[in-house]
Amino acid sequence: MYKKIISLCIVFQFLSCAELQQVVDQLPQGETGIGNAQIAQGLRQALDEGVDKQVSKLTLENGFFKNELVKILLPEELRKVDKTLRDIGLGNLADEGLKILNRAAEDAVGEATPIFVDAIKGITFSDARDILMGNENAATLYLRNGTQTSLYAKFNPIIKESFEKVGADKIWSNLINKYNNLPFTNNVNPDLTDYVTTQALDGVFTMIAVEEKEIRDKVSARTTDILRKVFALQD
């Protein structure tokens, strides 16, 4: 061992700065030598954990409706509908209308979970190290930016099916017809499938970000070797 060290010292004496840097670059780098592929693998695992631990909560009854982070509220166009119905004593019907929108989202996310998993598998982290060293939701934001359009196209039909499954289409048709038949009101015809699709996707990304932050902040949340190895770099 000592002979190797002495030999290296002798060699270093005859090397230029540029040549010396080349030698140093080739030496083992330990933990800091983790490459882009491993970091990308760690980021995908963190996003997978978000689906497994957090998005799965959205699929339960009241997963959206009782979660203030993601609860779907009425679009602006329908708030006047809600207020008017309550003013004429139809508050219970208005309450049911809001709840059923969230029920549709809960059902749809349960059906669409494999779509989110596939999106994570397919995402390419060309700048994984920058994302790792970024904000607390950098990986989630990168996933969102890279998959939002394609996820919407796949998710929208599932939302439509869930509307029919939980009866949201009939309830809201009844609500809107009652409102439109009232005197002195302007008719409304909102695209609730589009609205709930967008809101539900927002909820999914919100919950994935919750788990990403947990993994970034707490060593105990890093449940695999690759998560511990990769996220140690940003500590």
Side-chain angles (χ1 to χ4, degrees):
M1 181 66 180
Y2 289 115
K3 289 181 179 179
K4 290 182 180 179
I5 294 173
I6 293 171
S7 298
L8 282 172
C9 291
I10 293 172
V11 170
F12 285 173
Q13 289 178 358
F14 294 96
L15 292 176
S16 68
C17 290
E19 290 171 327
L20 182 58
Q21 185 60 51
Q22 289 179 356
V23 172
V24 172
D25 289 342
Q26 293 173 7
L27 293 175
Q29 296 178 334
E31 290 293 321
T32 58
I34 296 175
N36 195 74
Q38 281 183 297
I39 295 174
Q41 183 185 355
L43 293 175
R44 288 191 198 94
Q45 278 198 16
L47 296 173
D48 278 334
E49 291 285 305
V51 172
D52 185 51
K53 293 184 179 180
Q54 301 295 339
V55 175
S56 60
K57 297 176 183 178
L58 299 178
T59 68
L60 304 175
E61 184 173 313
N62 292 321
F64 272 89
F65 190 61
K66 292 292 181 69
N67 183 342
E68 293 303 319
L69 283 177
V70 297
K71 182 178 180 178
I72 297 175
L73 304 177
L74 293 178
E76 186 173 352
E77 183 181 8
L78 289 182
R79 289 172 196 167
K80 59 185 178 182
V81 176
D82 181 85
K83 182 179 184 306
T84 301
L85 292 176
R86 293 181 190 281
D87 288 345
I88 62 173
L90 295 176
N92 288 339
L93 189 58
D95 289 337
E96 183 62 21
L98 179 59
K99 183 185 293 185
I100 206 69
L101 292 184
N102 286 271
R103 288 287 181 269
E106 290 156 10
D107 180 76
V109 170
E111 295 293 327
T113 295
I115 294 176
F116 304 127
V117 173
D118 287 343
I120 292 168
K121 288 179 180 176
I123 197 74
T124 300
F125 291 99
S126 57
D127 48 356
R129 188 174 293 271
D130 288 342
I131 294 168
L132 177 66
M133 300 302 179
N135 295 331
E136 62 186 22
N137 66 337
T140 304
L141 186 60
Y142 188 85
L143 173 69
R144 180 172 194 152
N145 291 339
T147 64
Q148 175 95 5
T149 301
S150 60
L151 282 176
Y152 179 96
K154 294 175 182 177
F155 194 42
N156 185 260
I158 297 174
I159 287 286
K160 185 176 181 180
E161 290 177 8
S162 293
F163 257 63
E164 297 172 359
K165 182 177 177 180
V166 303
D169 54 341
K170 293 180 180 178
I171 288 174
W172 271 100
S173 177
N174 183 29
L175 276 168
I176 290 170
N177 284 336
K178 284 183 181 299
Y179 175 81
N180 287 342
N181 287 329
L182 291 173
F184 311 113
T185 60
N186 296 319
N187 286 2
V188 295
N189 186 29
D191 186 344
L192 284 175
T193 304
D194 168 75
Y195 176 74
V196 174
T197 300
T198 301
Q199 293 295 304
L201 280 177
D202 285 349
V204 167
F205 288 120
T206 294
M207 297 309 292
I208 292 175
V210 166
E211 186 62 22
E212 179 185 351
K213 184 178 186 303
E214 185 83 356
I215 290 170
R216 286 181 180 275
D217 291 349
K218 297 180 181 178
V219 175
S220 60
R222 301 167 192 172
T223 55
T224 68
D225 287 340
I226 192 66
L227 285 177
R228 287 187 286 272
K229 191 174 184 179
V230 167
F231 282 90
L233 298 177
Q234 57 101 70
D235 287 341

